[in-house]
Amino acid sequence: MNTQYNDTLNIGTVSKHVLSNGMTILVRPIHTVPKVSVQLWYNVGSKDEMDKERGIAHLIEHMIFKGTKKLSESDINFVTHMLSGSCNAFTSYDYTGYLFNFPTQHWKESFNIMADCMTNCTFKDYMLNSEMKAVIQELKMYRDHYDRSLVDEMIGMIFPDHPYHHPIIGYKQDLWTVTSKNLQKFYKKHYLPNNATLVVVGDVDLQEVFALAEEKFGSIAADSTYKKRDHYYNQDIVSKSVTLYRDVKQPIVLFTFVVPGIRSKQDSTLELLARILGSGKGSRLYRKLVNEQKIATSVSASSEELFDYGLFFVMVEPKSEKDIPAIEQSISDEIELVKKEGITDTELTRAIKKTEMSIYSLMENFEHQAYEIGKFYLATGDENYLFNYLSKPRDQLKKEMHDIVVTYLRPSVMHKGFVLPLPDQEREAWAKLQKESDEEDNRILAARDRKEPVEQPVYAKTVAVKDPERFDYPKAAAMELGNGVKVLSYYNDNTPKIDLLLDLKAKHYFDPAHKLGLSLFVSKMLLEGTKNYTADELIDAIESRGMSIATYPGGIALSMLRDDFEFGLSILQEILTNATFNKDEIEKVRTQLLARLRNFWDDPQYFAGQLTKEEIYKGHPYSKTSLGTIESIKKINQKDLMDYYQTYISPQGARLAVVGDIKDGDNEALLEKTIGAWQGPPIKEVVFPSIKQPEKDEINFPINRDQVVLRFAGLSVERMHPDYDKLLLFDQIFSGGVLGSMASRLFQLREQSGLFYTIGGSLIAGADEQPGMFLVQTIVSLDRLKEAEKAIKHTIETAADMINQNEFDEARRAIVNAQVDNFASNYNIANALLFLDRYKLPINYFDQRAAKLDSISLVDMTDAAKKVLKNKLITLRVGRVGDTQSL
């Protein structure tokens, strides 16, 4: 691969062109993979709404995809799908954006669609009826995300007289009455070329982009009278507090300060401050609250990137609710210490290195780059702001951080938010409120029923499909170390970093049945001290270099700058061979794992997966939970941990992928010296029994949430089954597959009915050496649960009956075009290399993929799908449902 990134972050690489109508075009050509991300940003967000318009900016974002005078309701989804792309949109307080990701040969089509949508959207009322229902479901979905709900509540509380006070998604009472005329008024006012910025990142020619932008957008008339309103915030010396009582076991505490917004160009300073105070195990607050005082299980610090005013957050999970006052005092004390003593050089270096690494990782993702470029340009007017992010002198950064702490992080203006367990005496009242809300939604939305079918594609039939650009898929160099570890390496100098993925033979399902969570416990202990490093010293050694490391059951991921490659290998060797399992650190990790379990069982979208596995894989190792249980985690002792470490953290059967800017030199000798010195015993194979069809038909799991997680699940096939590729093709048509297509059967059901905001699934979920699952999952309000179940079951039953040759061809193209995504980053490449080795696939597997898929016929695909769809399905409901486990 070609070098695309200069080591110096403060070199601008974005080119800018302004059309005569005021529209700005920003382009960053990158030729690492044949993909392009195109994003159209409008400088309008929810803060630009007037009273009685709350939520309209977000609603327009949804409705833009519903067609124009030229495009039918389905055209955008179908064009995107047939051209092997993906599309999405986003709304903020400050901006709205639309994005398309296409393979190189198709990126130009996005300009046709975006230009048409700038002026010609129709917003038909009957389409609004079904989309309104989906948006109300989205609103309820966010209410069940309690950490984000707390953030939104605090923003509303902190800004009583600024438009940030109002939620982006709006209020139900405003949305219920919105009509097409309301949307048109807002749209015509704000969707203007002189209020728009087009960002293109990827495999393009700069001048070709500018010329095509002129052709497609240049004739759209500007509004020279357009002017943004100024918004005022009446600041005060006040500390406010809000508490949400919910059906949770793990409390959340959020401390918040108002700080300058992005327009002030201090966001890099705020990011560095967040890393020093509360980001990572080496941060001040993590060490104080988690390691020293042991009154919290996790700490994070971050800033909410708003244009006008920002918010600096410190989020803590307390060990116990009674520890909250001590946590608040400790945070205040640490802030005061920064005021008195300032930031140390060591802290600043760590923060800068970590931020540099995050930017290098950003350079490997076209969509995320385009997003950051667009956001910063709208806020600052500087197209290369991202690439000058860390250009300030160290002394200036230290002074700016100190000034922010002194000026804005004062106890008298610290706002507090809490999510606490719902008191038993409030459960009846909470249930009543939810029931009344459901009934009111049902009453209002029943009057907005949609009877018209979804419009079929029209423009899509005129769009030409082109052959993919040639791409040379990376090939690994393989070697075996003396201890049996297989090493797969690939030189990639797109960024000056290296990523390592170590895949161990023993996965979480090796855990003994009475010690579930043991492998996870051991993996977390690997970073809690070794013979040569205390826990603090180990984290300092890693984070001071900007390195990141993740340990998990069955593997370790390590990312580092190229200059730290040798040191990174020595650290990997250290934790693989010299972990000490200190008793104090064991108890700290135990407390964190118990908190993680409480969090897991507080989130139905997560634990619904575990409930499904326990039924589908009953009596099989795949039914085991990697997190363990409260009981098993409490029982695991030091001997259990050390025995597992010595038995299963072994080079036998292990594989290591090394991808990145590997320096010239004797890397083989370096790997042998470090990883090759690791020793361990052979690992016994796990015996996999045959998997039987599930016994139950239905499972209900009661928990108090606004919405119900609804799942359908059954058995499928293993990864190397002859039908796997056939089901992969069917997945693309049925559920959206590798690109998340909005032309899928499941998404079309959402478009027609508005029953849910999100729905997804797969016929091959989790398929590996053992059979995977057929899954469909959505989130739906209780009042529409029965209707949703009936509609989804009908879609499942008929899914394989009405597929045409065009859909089938599009599915094949989508998979072939999408496979380059496996090589967009070091991490992705490492995963792809391990994948090929794991299943003993040929080195030219990806090169031959198109030919292999071409050998499958439409009949082959539908026959394979019907076999899986005929398997017995269980229906799982998690929410305000009956107390019985099986009906």
Side-chain angles (χ1 to χ4, degrees), residues 659-697:
V659 179
D661 193 5
I662 307 168
K663 282 184 172 180
D664 294 334
D666 196 349
N667 292 318
E668 184 172 343
L670 182 59
L671 286 162
E672 192 67 67
K673 173 186 172 184
T674 52
I675 309 307
W678 168 37
Q679 299 297 317
I683 297 173
K684 293 181 180 179
E685 299 288 345
V686 168
V687 176
F688 292 114
S690 60
I691 305 172
K692 300 177 181 179
Q693 292 293 331
E695 298 174 1
K696 297 180 180 178
D697 296 317

Side-chain angles (χ1 to χ4, degrees), residues 601-621:
W601 289 100
D602 279 343
D603 192 329
Q605 291 192 63
Y606 286 139
F607 71 72
Q610 179 58 32
L611 295 177
T612 305
K613 288 197 300 181
E614 288 175 3
E615 183 60 28
I616 297 295
Y617 295 111
K618 181 173 286 188
H620 187 279

Side-chain angles (χ1 to χ4, degrees), residues 262-316:
I262 301 181
R263 294 193 197 281
S264 71
K265 299 187 178 183
Q266 295 187 69
D267 42 287
S268 60
T269 307
L270 286 164
E271 179 174 347
L272 294 172
L273 180 61
R275 291 187 185 278
I276 290 167
L277 281 180
S279 179
K281 291 184 175 183
S283 66
R284 287 187 177 215
L285 292 176
Y286 186 95
R287 287 186 165 172
K288 188 166 189 177
L289 299 176
V290 179
N291 291 351
E292 296 173 18
Q293 297 179 330
K294 295 181 173 54
I295 55 177
T297 57
S298 74
V299 179
S300 64
S302 62
S303 57
E304 184 84 355
E305 295 182 320
L306 307 175
F307 284 11
D308 299 346
Y309 302 92
L311 294 172
F312 190 88
F313 295 128
V314 177
M315 183 172 283
V316 183

Side-chain angles (χ1 to χ4, degrees), residues 682-721:
I683 297 173
K684 293 181 180 179
E685 299 288 345
V686 168
V687 176
F688 292 114
S690 60
I691 305 172
K692 300 177 181 179
Q693 292 293 331
E695 298 174 1
K696 297 180 180 178
D697 296 317
E698 301 183 351
I699 300 173
N700 282 354
F701 189 99
I703 189 171
N704 195 308
R705 294 293 183 271
D706 270 15
Q707 290 187 302
V708 177
V709 174
L710 175 63
R711 265 194 170 211
F712 300 89
L715 266 177
S716 184
V717 302
E718 66 273 15
R719 176 61 185 80
M720 298 307 292
H721 192 283

Side-chain angles (χ1 to χ4, degrees), residues 329-455:
Q329 185 60 53
S330 292
I331 291 173
S332 296
D333 290 346
E334 200 62 37
I335 290 172
E336 287 302 311
L337 195 61
V338 173
K339 291 178 184 179
K340 291 177 181 178
E341 301 180 0
I343 302 296
T344 69
D345 287 334
T346 301
E347 289 177 314
L348 181 58
T349 297
R350 169 187 170 274
I352 289 174
K353 287 284 189 180
K354 295 286 285 184
T355 305
E356 283 179 351
M357 283 293 287
S358 72
I359 294 175
Y360 288 135
S361 294
L362 182 69
M363 294 303 103
E364 298 178 299
N365 188 304
F366 294 177
E367 180 185 325
H368 292 171
Q369 274 185 72
Y371 182 90
E372 294 298 315
I373 291 168
K375 177 188 68 179
F376 283 130
Y377 180 76
L378 258 63
T380 70
D382 181 356
E383 65 272 20
N384 283 305
Y385 185 84
L386 174 64
F387 303 97
N388 297 320
Y389 198 66
L390 295 174
S391 60
K392 296 176 182 177
R394 290 173 64 95
D395 289 345
Q396 182 181 344
L397 287 170
K398 289 173 73 172
K399 182 180 184 304
E400 286 185 5
M401 278 189 278
H402 185 263
D403 289 347
I404 285 173
V405 172
V406 170
T407 306
Y408 300 103
L409 273 58
R410 310 192 321 267
S412 57
V413 291
M414 180 168 73
H415 306 285
K416 291 160 273 191
F418 311 92
V419 178
L420 299 179
L422 185 70
D424 289 340
Q425 63 269 27
E426 294 292 338
R427 291 184 178 277
E428 185 177 342
W430 179 237
K432 182 181 178 183
L433 288 173
Q434 291 173 309
K435 182 180 180 181
E436 290 173 351
S437 175
D438 287 345
E439 290 173 349
E440 184 70 2
D441 289 344
N442 193 38
R443 183 182 68 81
I444 297 295
L445 294 176
R448 303 197 67 151
D449 193 29
R450 173 174 179 167
K451 294 182 172 55
E452 297 83 356
V454 174
E455 291 180 355

